[in-house]
Amino acid sequence: MKITKNQSLLGYNSFGINALADEFVEVEHSEEIAQLVEDHFFENRMTLFLGGGNNIVFVGDFHGTVVHLANKGIAVVDEDSDIVTVRAEAGEVWDDFVWHCLDNQWFGLENLVAIPSSIGAAAVQNIGAYGVEAKDFIVAVEAIDTVTGEKRRFSNADCRFGYRDSVFKHSETQCVITAVSFRLSKTPHLRLSYKAITDYLSANAIANPTPKQLAQCIADIRWSKLPKPEVQGSVGSFFKNPVVTASLYEGLKERFPDMVAYPAGDGYKLAAGWLIEKSGWKGRTLGRAGVYPKQALVLVNCGGCDGNDVVRLANAVIADVEAMFGVRLQPEAIIVG
Ligand SMILES: Cc1cc2nc3c(=O)[nH]c(=O)nc-3n(C[C@H](O)[C@H](O)[C@H](O)COP(=O)(O)OP(=O)(O)OC[C@H]3O[C@@H](n4cnc5c(N)ncnc54)[C@H](O)[C@@H]3O)c2cc1C
């Protein structure tokens, strides 16, 4: 295990923010976490568990310990003729895992391809895209309680998954995820219903896509709309799509007939990107941060941006959307500092 002081986090967050961590621990084996707990390492220490930093905005330096999960390993733990259960260590790169599954003809994760994530954070965040969420395939999450050192195994129900949410964001004691197991099918059941997918397939004359063709289609669509982190810093969607009551939705729909919304429980989920675009922010910048011209839900680093630039822009967007629609946007991004 490697411990460094005053480590730059520039290469550890997709926004490309150059913050420092007072202390930085690189974990390559999950047993190292157990050892750290046994040594009381986490006591009286502000700790941040970090995967790829693809959903974190550092506002200033982190005056605590960043523990970077870099433990790797993928193994089949159970299988029959139809189903396979695959266990991946928390530090595996999500997209590599998706393609590894496709190479082995284990299906289900195609629509989640190209999401920048570690395996551990995929469970924390319940990542989702194109009508699919990680929770649809997760059967177990292994974690270590950083206070008691207890090794815990969470079933899918124990994880209390929600929209970009799970029990791991709310636990009273901090648990670090060490591995996640996924139940995948040996028979493909492709989800093709999104218009962007059908448009892409017909434009490329693909009538019956293979799972790999679908994954490639989704990766291509994603990167035509989103900035690649290595090209321009962002955390993907910066805000959550807000869910509002039916009466608020109806009032808004009368004022804005072209408003984009979907039924969600008793209310409606509004497209935050549409709200931001209508409030006039799409393509605009404030300081060194901006609203991505191709997708208003994405805030981007316009060069040398720090966390304060991002927060200032986010607050300006929130204020204007609230003034226009009476809806307060909540960040999906995790603001640290
Ligand atoms: C270009 C781009 C596109 C994106 N598109 C999508 C999308 O389509 N759908 C989507 O859902 N998300 C999307 N995101 C957001 C991001 O991919 C997810 O939030 C992802 O899960 C973050 O993974 P990470 O490993 O980088 O986590 P980090 O950002 O490092 O951490 C996220 C949170 O998880 C915690 N955490 C990380 N690892 C562990 C662990 N092992 N144990 C306990 N806690 C842990 C961290 O403390 C933090 O609270 C996108 C991001 C980018 C940059």
Side-chain angles (χ1 to χ4, degrees):
M1 183 175 18
K2 212 169 112 203
I3 303 184
T4 45
K5 302 279 181 200
N6 297 319
Q7 166 77 46
S8 166
L9 298 170
L10 186 59
Y12 295 94
N13 72 97
S14 58
F15 226 108
I17 290 171
N18 192 12
L20 292 180
D22 285 1
E23 196 175 39
F24 185 90
V25 182
E26 180 91 351
V27 168
E28 286 176 352
H29 303 283
S30 54
E31 298 74 44
E32 291 167 355
I33 297 269
Q35 188 58 53
L36 288 170
V37 180
E38 211 178 302
D39 297 345
H40 306 281
F41 182 85
F42 297 111
E43 276 174 25
N44 306 317
R45 249 192 177 90
M46 188 167 64
T47 306
L48 174 73
F49 292 105
L50 187 70
N54 294 292
N55 208 37
I56 292 182
V57 176
F58 290 103
V59 181
D61 295 337
F62 186 75
H63 297 299
T65 303
V66 169
V67 178
H68 180 233
L69 277 295
N71 52 324
K72 306 273 186 204
I74 299 174
V76 170
V77 290
D78 193 20
E79 75 180 307
D80 62 24
S81 54
D82 303 322
I83 299 292
V84 57
T85 303
V86 191
R87 177 183 180 279
E89 300 261 342
E92 283 286 348
V93 173
W94 172 261
D95 193 44
D96 294 349
F97 175 66
V98 173
W99 285 104
H100 176 83
C101 291
L102 287 168
D103 283 341
N104 284 281
Q105 316 236 0
W106 305 327
F107 305 117
L109 304 177
E110 301 78 32
N111 293 36
L112 299 175
V113 75
I115 297 180
S117 183
S118 58
I119 288 284
V124 175
Q125 303 287 100
N126 181 25
I127 55 172
Y130 295 95
V132 177
E133 289 179 305
K135 75 169 173 57
D136 303 337
F137 303 94
I138 292 175
V139 280
V141 173
E142 293 164 50
I144 297 178
D145 185 316
T146 56
V147 175
T148 63
E150 185 193 352
K151 285 192 177 168
R152 299 188 58 185
R153 189 177 170 85
F154 293 77
S155 67
N156 182 294
D158 295 336
C159 292
R160 298 211 300 271
F161 288 120
Y163 169 52
R164 303 293 176 271
D165 199 18
S166 71
V167 72
F168 307 106
K169 286 186 158 182
H170 308 282
S171 344
E172 279 157 27
T173 61
Q174 202 176 10
C175 275
V176 52
I177 293 174
T178 51
V180 183
S181 295
F182 300 84
R183 189 172 189 266
L184 302 172
S185 172
K186 291 186 177 176
T187 315
H189 301 284
L190 304 187
R191 293 166 188 80
L192 306 171
S193 56
Y194 272 68
K195 188 171 175 309
I197 299 176
T198 50
D199 285 353
Y200 176 102
L201 294 175
S202 70
N204 288 280
I206 303 171
N208 294 303
T210 63
K212 278 194 175 180
Q213 281 175 317
L214 173 59
Q216 193 56 54
C217 150
I218 286 173
D220 289 349
I221 295 170
R222 287 180 63 85
W223 297 127
S224 71
K225 294 181 183 169
L226 289 169
K228 283 194 172 176
E230 59 274 25
V231 176
Q232 185 165 32
S234 84
V235 286
S237 304
F238 191 90
F239 298 102
K240 291 184 181 175
N241 289 319
V243 176
V244 300
T245 61
S247 67
L248 178 54
Y249 161 77
E250 276 147 24
L252 287 171
K253 191 76 186 164
E254 244 172 59
R255 285 170 55 209
F256 304 98
D258 59 333
M259 186 176 68
V260 182
Y262 310 90
D266 294 339
Y268 282 83
K269 187 181 274 186
L270 310 184
W274 186 90
L275 301 173
I276 297 166
E277 190 173 343
K278 283 287 161 181
S279 74
W281 272 103
K282 193 174 183 181
R284 276 174 62 193
T285 57
L286 185 65
R288 294 167 292 181
V291 178
Y292 194 52
K294 291 188 195 170
Q295 168 54 272
L297 200 46
V298 177
L299 305 190
V300 287
N301 186 340
C302 297
C305 168
D306 67 19
N308 289 309
D309 292 309
V310 182
V311 169
R312 210 173 305 125
L313 173 62
N315 286 338
V317 170
I318 290 170
D320 284 358
V321 167
E322 190 166 22
M324 192 164 180
F325 300 100
V327 175
R328 192 163 176 83
L329 294 178
Q330 300 293 337
E332 181 181 320
I334 298 159
I335 315 286
V336 173

